[in-house]
C-alpha cells in the first residue's frame, strides 16, 4: 500500500507535468497546423461556421489550392449556429448563415458587416438579392425576411437595416433556393398542384411537416392560405391572432391524425419519404435528390401558390481583424469566383453570381439546371454519381420560373417568441 | 461488506505512512474526523464544482429576464410565468405544459413498471440460475447491446420493423390477422414506451442483480428447510433483500425517462412532447431563462418522486 501511494505520487506529478506541457503546447500553437516547427509564415486558416449546406470537402480542397487558405468547417444545425454566434462569437471566423437569423444576430453586435467595395463580383450578384427581382425582371414575393430587406446596414457598426444600398453588407449572398413540398408520385398516383393537399384527408397519417418553427410556420401559412381559410397580410410577420389561427388549423389536423411524424433533420426527411411512411411533406431539394438516388420516385412538386424561399450568406465574427479579415475577403471573393457556385448549382441549389458559375459549368449542365431544358447528356452530381438520365427536365423548370415563383421567405417575426411557444403547443397537442 | 470504520483503520496508517512529511508521532494525533473528511473531500469538491455550482447558476438564471438575443440580468419571474401562460384561463381544461408533464409522468410510470418486471426476472435468472461467474458476466454484457447504436441508427432501424411496410405489418397481413397495416406500431406512445423499455431495462438489471448476488444462499436454504414454497421464499426473503437494488434501479430509470426527449422525439415522430423537449426548444429559441425555469420545475418534480421512493426504502440504511 505504501509503495503504491508513493507510486501514485510520482505518476500524479508526471501526469500534472505532461498535462501542463500539453496545455502549454495547445495554447501556444494557436492554430494546429500539423507541422509545428514551420513557424516562418503564419498559415492561413479560417474557421467556417455554418450548416452543412455549402460545406463540401471539394470546396475546401479547391480553395486551399487556389488561395492557400485552409478552411476548417464547424457544422451545426440552423438553431445551433445562431446559438453559437450569440454565446461564443470567438469560436469562429467566417459565418455562413441564413438571412432570417439576422434579426437576432445583428442586434447582438457579435458579427461584422463586410464592405461591398472589397467584393470584386458584388455588382454581378443576382438581382434576386439586391432588387428583389429575377434577371428576367420578374418581381419576387417579399413576404417574410426577404434578403433585400436586411442586406444593408446604415453604418459600419450600425444595428439598423438600411432601406437604400450602402457599402455595409450584412451577408454576402452565397446560396439560396426555392422550396416546395416533396411527394411520392408512385404512391399518390394523381397530380398535386396546391399546398392545401398537405391537409387533404386523403393523405391522413401520411403527411409530414418540418419541426423547425421559423421554417415550419411558413409552410403552415402557405397551407392555410391555400385552403382558402385566411389571407395573410404578411406570412412572415403575423399578428398574435394570425399565429393562433394558423396553429389552430394545424392542431386540428394533427388531432385528426393527418401527420405521420414531424422531421427535424435531413436524414429523417429522407427516411420518412423513402420508407413510404409519408407520401407528401415539407422537403429540401437535396433530400429529394437523395431519395431519387436510392431509386425511389420522388418529386419536388411545384405548386400554384408558389415557393417558400431561403437564402444564406457570409459575414465575419466581430473578433476578426487585420490579416484574418483580409483572408476572409480573399475567401469570399474566391467563393464567388465560380468554382463553388458551379458546385452548388450542380446540387440543385442556386449560386449568387450566375456569370462566374456558368463559366465553370458545361453548357448542357447549365441548360438543365438553370434554363429548364431537357438534359442532353446524363446529369451527374458533384461526386460523379448519376442524378438524372438524358432527356429529364428539372422539377419546376428554369431559374426564372422557380425564383420568379417565390411567394415568401423564411422569417423571424416580431412575434417570434409567441410563435415559438404556440408552435411547441402544436407539437405537444 | 466492510463498515466504514474498518476501512478507516486499514487506510489511516497507510495514509500516514504514505504522506512523506508527516512523522508517525504527529500522525497519531490526526483525528479520525479529519481523515474521513480527507477521504470524502476530493469527490465532494468534484461534486461541488461540476454539479452544485452549475445548478445554482441554473436557478439564478431562471429568474432573469430575456429578449430575442440576450439575457438581461434583472430579476423577473417571466421564465416561469411564460411557461404557465394561459393555464389559469383554460381551467378546467389542462394547458399544454400540464398535459406535457402528465404525459411525461405517464411514460415514466409505464416504463418504470415494465422495466422493473422484466429487469427483476432477468436479474433473478442471472443470479440464481447461472452458476458460473463467466456466464453471468457474459450475459450481463449482452444487456448493453441496445447502447451500441446511435439514436439516428436506432430510429432508422425501427422503421423496417414497425413501419407501415415493415416486417411486423407484412407478417400480420400474410397470416391474415389484419388486412390493413397497423398504424400505431410506430410514431406512437406504444413505440415510445417500447424504445424506452428496450433501452433502460439494463439500468434495472444491474443494481437488482447486484443485490441478489449478495444474498446469503444459506438464507434461501433455511427458508426451504422451514418448508417455505418457492413463492413464499421469493416474497419473504428475496424481494425484501433486493429492495435497495430495486430502488436504485428505479431512481436510474425514473430520472432518465423524466429528462429524456431524444428517444421520445425520435420514436414519437416528434409529435409527442416531453418535459425535456420544452427545455430544448427554449434553448433553441435562445430563451435561456425560460429554459432554466423549466429545468428547475423538472428537477423539483423528479426530486419529489425520488424523495417519495427513498421514504419507502431507506437506502442509506440498506447499503
Amino acid at each position: 500500500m505504501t509503495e503504491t501511494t508513493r507510486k501514485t505520487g510520482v505518476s500524479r506529478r508526471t501526469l500534472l507535468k505532461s498535462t501542463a506541457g500539453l496545455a502549454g503546447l495547445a495554447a501556444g500553437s494557436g492554430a494546429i497546423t500539423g507541422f509545428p516547427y514551420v513557424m516562418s509564415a503564419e498559415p492561413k486558416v479560417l474557421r467556417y461556421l455554418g450548416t452543412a449546406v455549402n460545406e463540401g470537402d471539394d470546396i475546401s480542397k479547391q480553395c486551399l489550392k487556389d488561395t492557400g487558405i485552409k478552411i476548417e468547417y464547424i457544422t451545426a444545425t440552423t438553431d445551433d449556429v445562431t446559438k453559437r454566434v450569440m454565446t461564443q462569437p470567438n469560436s469562429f471566423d467566417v459565418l455562413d448563415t441564413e438571412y432570417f437569423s439576422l434579426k437576432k444576430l445583428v442586434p447582438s453586435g457579435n458579427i461584422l458587416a463586410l464592405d461591398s467595395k472589397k467584393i470584386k463580383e458584388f455588382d454581378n450578384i443576382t438581382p434576386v438579392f439586391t432588387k428583389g427581382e429575377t434577371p428576367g425582371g420578374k418581381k419576387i414575393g417579399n413576404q417574410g425576411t426577404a434578403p433585400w430587406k436586411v442586406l444593408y446596414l446604415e453604418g459600419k457598426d450600425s444595428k439598423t437595416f438600411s432601406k437604400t444600398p450602402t457599402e455595409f453588407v450584412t451577408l454576402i449572398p452565397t446560396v439560396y433556393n426555392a422550396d416546395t413540398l416533396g411527394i411520392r408520385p408512385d404512391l399518390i398516383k394523381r397530380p398535386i398542384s396546391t399546398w392545401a393537399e398537405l391537409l387533404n384527408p386523403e393523405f391522413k397519417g401520411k403527411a409530414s411537416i418540418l419541426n423547425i418553427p421559423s421554417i415550419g410556420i411558413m409552410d403552415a401559412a402557405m397551407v392555410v392560405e391555400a385552403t382558402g381559410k385566411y389571407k395573410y397580410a404578411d406570412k412572415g410577420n403575423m399578428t398574435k391572432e394570425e399565429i393562433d389561427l394558423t396553429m389552430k388549423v394545424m392542431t386540428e389536423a394533427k388531432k385528426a391524425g393527418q401527420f405521420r411524424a414531424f422531421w427535424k433533420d435531413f436524414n429523417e426527411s429522407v427516411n420518412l419519404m423513402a420508407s413510404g411512411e409519408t407520401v407528401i411533406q415539407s422537403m429540401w431539394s437535396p433530400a429529394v435528390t437523395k431519395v431519387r438516388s436510392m431509386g425511389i420516385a420522388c418529386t419536388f412538386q411545384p405548386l400554384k401558390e408558389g415557393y417558400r424561399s431561403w437564402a444564406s450568406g457570409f459575414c465575419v465574427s466581430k473578433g476578426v481583424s487585420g490579416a484574418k479579415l483580409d483572408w476572409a475577403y480573399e475567401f469570399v471573393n474566391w467563393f464567388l469566383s465560380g468554382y463553388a457556385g458551379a458546385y452548388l448549382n450542380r446540387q440543385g441549389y442556386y449560386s449568387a453570381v450566375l456569370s462566374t458559375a456558368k463559366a465553370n459549368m458545361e453548357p448542357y449542365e447549365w441548360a438543365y439546371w438553370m434554363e429548364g431544358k431537357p438534359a442532353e447528356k446524363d446529369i451527374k452530381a458533384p461526386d460523379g454519381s448519376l442524378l438524372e438520365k438524358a432527356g429529364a427536365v428539372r422539377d419546376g423548370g428554369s431559374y426564372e420560373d422557380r425564383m420568379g415563383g417565390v411567394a415568401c421567405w423564411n422569417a423571424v417575426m416580431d412575434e417570434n417568441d409567441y410563435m415559438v411557444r404556440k408552435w411547441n403547443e402544436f407539437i405537444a397537442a | 461488506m466492510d463498515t466504514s470504520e474498518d476501512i478507516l483503520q486499514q487506510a489511516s496508517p497507510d495514509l500516514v505512512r504514505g504522506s512523506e512529511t508527516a512523522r508517525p508521532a504527529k500522525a497519531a494525533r490526526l483525528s479520525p474526523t479529519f481523515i474521513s473528511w480527507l477521504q470524502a473531500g476530493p469527490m465532494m469538491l468534484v461534486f461541488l464544482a461540476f454539479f452544485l455550482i452549475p445548478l445554482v447558476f441554473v436557478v439564478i438564471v431562471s429568474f432573469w429576464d430575456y429578449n430575442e438575443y440576450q439575457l438581461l440580468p434583472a430579476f423577473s419571474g417571466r421564465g416561469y410565468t411564460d411557461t404557465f401562460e394561459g393555464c389559469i384561463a383554460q381551467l378546467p381544461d389542462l394547458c399544454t405544459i400540464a398535459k406535457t408533464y402528465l404525459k411525461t409522468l405517464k411514460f415514466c410510470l409505464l416504463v418504470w413498471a415494465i422495466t422493473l418486471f422484466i429487469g427483476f426476472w432477468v436479474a433473478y435468472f442471472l443470479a440464481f440460475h447461472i452458476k458460473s461467474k463467466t456466464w453471468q458476466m457474459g450475459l450481463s454484457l449482452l444487456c448493453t447491446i441496445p447502447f451500441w447504436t446511435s439514436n439516428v441508427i436506432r430510429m432508422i432501424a425501427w422503421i423496417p420493423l414497425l413501419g407501415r411496410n415493415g416486417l411486423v405489418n407484412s407478417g400480420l397481413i400474410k397470416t391474415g390477422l389484419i388486412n390493413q397495416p397497423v398504424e400505431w406500431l410506430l410514431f406512437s406512445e406504444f413505440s415510445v414506451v417500447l424504445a424506452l423499455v428496450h433501452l433502460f431495462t439494463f439500468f434495472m438489471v444491474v443494481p437488482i442483480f447486484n443485490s441478489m448476488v449478495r444474498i446469503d444462499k444459506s438464507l434461501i436454504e433455511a427458508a426451504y428447510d422451514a418448508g417455505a414454497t418457492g413463492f413464499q421464499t421469493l416474497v419473504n426473503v428475496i424481494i425484501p433483500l433486493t429492495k435497495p437494488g430495486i430502488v436504485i434501479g428505479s431512481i436510474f430509470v425514473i430520472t432518465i425517462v423524466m429528462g429524456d426527449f431524444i428517444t421520445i422525439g425520435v420514436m414519437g415522430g416528434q409529435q409527442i412532447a416531453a418535459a425535456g423537449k420544452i427545455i430544448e426548444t427554449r434553448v433553441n429559441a435562445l430563451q435561456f431563462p425560460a429554459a432554466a425555469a423549466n429545468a428547475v420545475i423538472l428537477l423539483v418534480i423528479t426530486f419529489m418522486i425520488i424523495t417519495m421512493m427513498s421514504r419507502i426504502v431507506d437506502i442509506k440504511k440498506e447499503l
Side-chain angles (χ1 to χ4, degrees), chain A residues 334-353:
Chain A
W334 174 84
F335 201 94
L336 297 179
S337 70
Y339 176 87
Y343 182 91
L344 293 167
N345 283 354
R346 285 191 195 104
Q347 289 180 297
Y349 295 121
Y350 290 133
S351 59
V353 181

Side-chain angles (χ1 to χ4, degrees), chain A residues 51-94:
Chain A
T51 54
V53 172
N54 12 346
E55 300 190 340
D57 278 345
D58 296 345
I59 292 184
S60 61
K61 280 192 195 115
Q62 189 67 31
C63 177
L64 186 64
K65 214 159 69 188
D66 295 347
T67 61
I69 296 172
K70 189 168 180 296
I71 298 294
E72 290 179 354
Y73 288 130
I74 306 165
T75 310
T77 61
T78 310
D79 282 338
D80 284 341
V81 168
T82 310
K83 222 184 311 181
R84 194 151 173 156
V85 176
M86 299 295 185
T87 52
Q88 307 167 41
N90 294 323
S91 66
F92 64 94
D93 304 319
V94 175

